[in-house]
Amino acid sequence: MIGSAAALTQVCMSLSALLGLLTLQIVILRRDRRDPINRRFLFCVRITMLLFVGRVLVALTGWQVFRIFVLLGAAFIPLAALLLTEGLLRRHAPPIAKHAIGWGTVFFVTSAFWYSGGIDPLRLYALLTFQMIGFLISGGLIVRRDRTALSASENITVTRIGLSLLLFIPLALGDFLMAVLHLPIQFSALGVLIMCWLAIGLGRTQIGHRVVIANFAVMVGAAILVGLLVGTITALDRDGFLLCSASVMTALLLVSILNDARALRTEEQSLGLLHYLAETDTDDPVAFLRDLRGHPLVEGAAMISRSSLAELQETTLQQIFEVAPVLRRSDPPKLGALADDHIAHLFERYSATHVILASDNPRVLIALSMPSLSASPMAELELKVVQRMAALMAQRRLDGE
């Protein structure tokens, strides 16, 4: 039973790794496919995809000829890792290291076409040694890098890639030593999913290293606990516990990858007001605000002129907007009964959730109806920036006159 369960788990993990790599490839292509670092990263991703495609085809068809894909992918991995590391660090590896990786790649790529097991396990042990040498060279370059020569974002990227490499090495080692360690499956798919998760997370700079490590620890802990729980209920042996824990960990990582990729896509497609502000090319506050009313986030905004405010006391309005240039219906300032009546009148007459001061002389207000803003601190900040920019435009025009 464990044998068939192990084969099924292996196929599912390989397919999950392929889906994670495909998601990462889409993210990279969407960012900038022409960037030199991204081109090297794509090479790493596609080489790894080749390896897992071979594993899936061998498992589903039983045809050993597809081992060529597996062996080719494994042969190219040290070269891909070195090329990516050189690009990230903006420096070359020592010539002796480059020659060793280059000639080793040529040798193992050539040997991949002898797909039968006639030269195994000697070839597998030699390939393991070659991969470990490649990983150690790349890891050494990362550890000994000159941090001052790289920007903060570049150092974050290198640290994340180094962390994924650190986690991937023991899992890749287990693939070659399955028989020695009596492992039921190859666990390198987990290492690939971890790498994809960390790489996609690079686009979300608000997530720090501590949060990433904490999230990873939670996923590992949850996988182990579920494995122990299921193993206790069903009386699984060691192999059964490993299969269960690996399956849970695979599912958690895959869900995290897809969620992070979707969140990153949402952020990239955001129609935030800051994007509009960055592209505006007018110094006229009226034209600026008129264009703003057509923006999807504040579509339908009403411009309130001075004549429309004739029935309200000018001194009270001045008091209100000195305290709160951006009035929020959910949090109005407390300035007394008369000011409360003025504020309530503005919100009720224009069915607004926000009223912002666009110009103080002459007084121009903008009434917005955006209920979703109450749950979006970022959008609230964008609205304050809009108010400030419009006020500065109005003041500049006034000074110019």
Side-chain angles (χ1 to χ4, degrees):
M1 178 179 178
I2 290 297
S4 59
L8 180 61
T9 302
Q10 186 73 76
V11 171
C12 289
M13 290 177 64
S14 296
L15 289 172
S16 297
L18 281 172
L19 181 56
L21 289 165
L22 181 61
T23 303
L24 176 57
Q25 177 178 261
I26 292 172
V27 170
I28 295 173
L29 290 174
R30 194 168 61 234
R31 288 175 181 171
D32 184 1
R33 69 179 66 198
R34 293 171 297 180
D35 180 77
I37 300 298
N38 285 349
R39 289 204 301 266
R40 297 183 184 216
F41 212 150
L42 282 172
F43 178 62
C44 293
V45 169
R46 289 165 178 169
I47 284 299
T48 311
M49 289 176 70
L50 179 67
L51 186 152
F52 283 98
V53 166
R55 284 189 183 179
V56 171
L57 290 176
V58 170
L60 294 180
T61 66
W63 296 351
Q64 292 302 306
V65 67
F66 290 121
R67 283 195 73 211
I68 292 176
F69 295 159
V70 179
L71 294 169
L72 282 174
F76 275 113
I77 283 177
L79 176 62
L82 183 62
L83 290 175
L84 178 59
T85 302
E86 285 185 329
L88 291 172
L89 300 181
R90 290 191 274 113
R91 55 170 293 193
H92 289 287
I96 187 173
K98 300 177 78 167
H99 288 144
I101 297 299
W103 286 111
T105 301
V106 171
F107 174 79
F108 286 106
V109 165
T110 304
S111 71
F113 293 93
W114 190 341
Y115 60 85
S116 67
I119 57 175
D120 296 326
L122 180 61
R123 174 177 57 184
L124 294 181
Y125 288 139
L127 184 57
L128 169 62
T129 303
F130 175 55
Q131 285 197 353
M132 290 302 107
I133 290 173
F135 290 147
L136 289 174
I137 291 173
S138 298
L141 291 173
I142 291 174
V143 171
R144 298 197 310 269
R145 74 183 185 276
D146 182 5
R147 296 175 183 270
T148 60
L150 302 176
S151 67
S153 60
E154 287 175 321
N155 275 308
I156 291 174
T157 301
V158 172
T159 300
R160 294 279 180 92
I161 298 301
L163 179 59
S164 65
L165 190 63
L166 181 64
L167 295 171
F168 181 76
I169 288 176
L171 296 172
L173 187 63
D175 283 4
F176 289 95
L177 301 178
M178 279 185 62
V180 177
L181 300 176
H182 305 290
L183 297 176
I185 55 173
Q186 295 171 306
F187 287 92
S188 58
L190 290 177
V192 170
L193 288 170
I194 292 170
M195 183 269 292
C196 294
W197 176 56
L198 292 175
I200 290 175
L202 289 170
R204 310 186 69 193
T205 54
Q206 71 273 24
I207 301 178
H209 293 318
R210 292 185 180 180
V211 175
V212 170
I213 294 173
N215 290 342
F216 179 70
V218 168
M219 284 191 284
V220 173
I224 294 174
L225 286 175
V226 172
L228 288 172
L229 178 61
V230 174
T232 301
I233 294 173
T234 59
L236 295 177
D237 58 9
R238 169 183 170 272
D239 285 356
F241 165 73
L242 290 175
L243 293 178
C244 182
S245 298
S247 299
V248 173
M249 187 69 184
T250 299
L252 291 174
L253 284 168
L254 188 58
V255 169
S256 297
I257 288 170
L258 297 176
N259 282 341
D260 283 0
R262 183 178 60 182
L264 185 60
R265 180 59 172 169
T266 301
E267 293 171 6
E268 292 171 351
Q269 291 181 326
S270 174
L271 295 176
L273 292 176
L274 294 181
H275 177 72
Y276 170 79
L277 294 177
E279 295 185 348
T280 188
D281 57 356
T282 180
D283 288 331
D284 184 353
V286 176
F288 168 71
L289 294 169
R290 187 182 297 115
D291 292 341
L292 182 63
R293 287 188 294 174
H295 193 278
L297 189 59
V298 292
E299 186 176 2
M303 186 175 294
I304 309 172
S305 63
R306 186 173 184 175
S307 59
S308 301
L309 301 172
E311 59 190 42
L312 301 179
Q313 294 184 10
E314 182 68 21
T315 55
T316 304
L317 290 175
Q318 182 73 22
Q319 180 188 18
I320 292 171
F321 287 101
E322 281 182 354
V323 175
V326 178
L327 272 179
R328 293 187 300 164
R329 185 172 60 187
S330 60
D331 186 26
K334 304 300 181 183
L335 300 173
L338 184 58
D340 290 346
D341 288 342
H342 280 57
I343 293 171
H345 172 79
L346 289 172
F347 286 136
E348 291 174 7
R349 180 172 180 177
Y350 297 99
S351 300
T353 58
H354 295 73
V355 178
I356 69 173
L357 176 65
S359 173
D360 196 45
N361 188 20
R363 188 177 305 282
V364 178
L365 306 179
I366 299 294
L368 309 173
S369 181
M370 296 178 287
S372 61
L373 281 180
S374 59
S376 176
M378 181 60 184
E380 291 280 4
L381 178 61
E382 290 175 340
L383 195 55
K384 291 179 181 178
V385 173
V386 168
Q387 187 279 325
R388 182 62 175 164
M389 189 168 181
L392 290 174
M393 286 181 179
Q395 185 62 44
R396 182 163 31 181
R397 284 179 67 88
L398 184 63
D399 294 342
E401 294 173 356

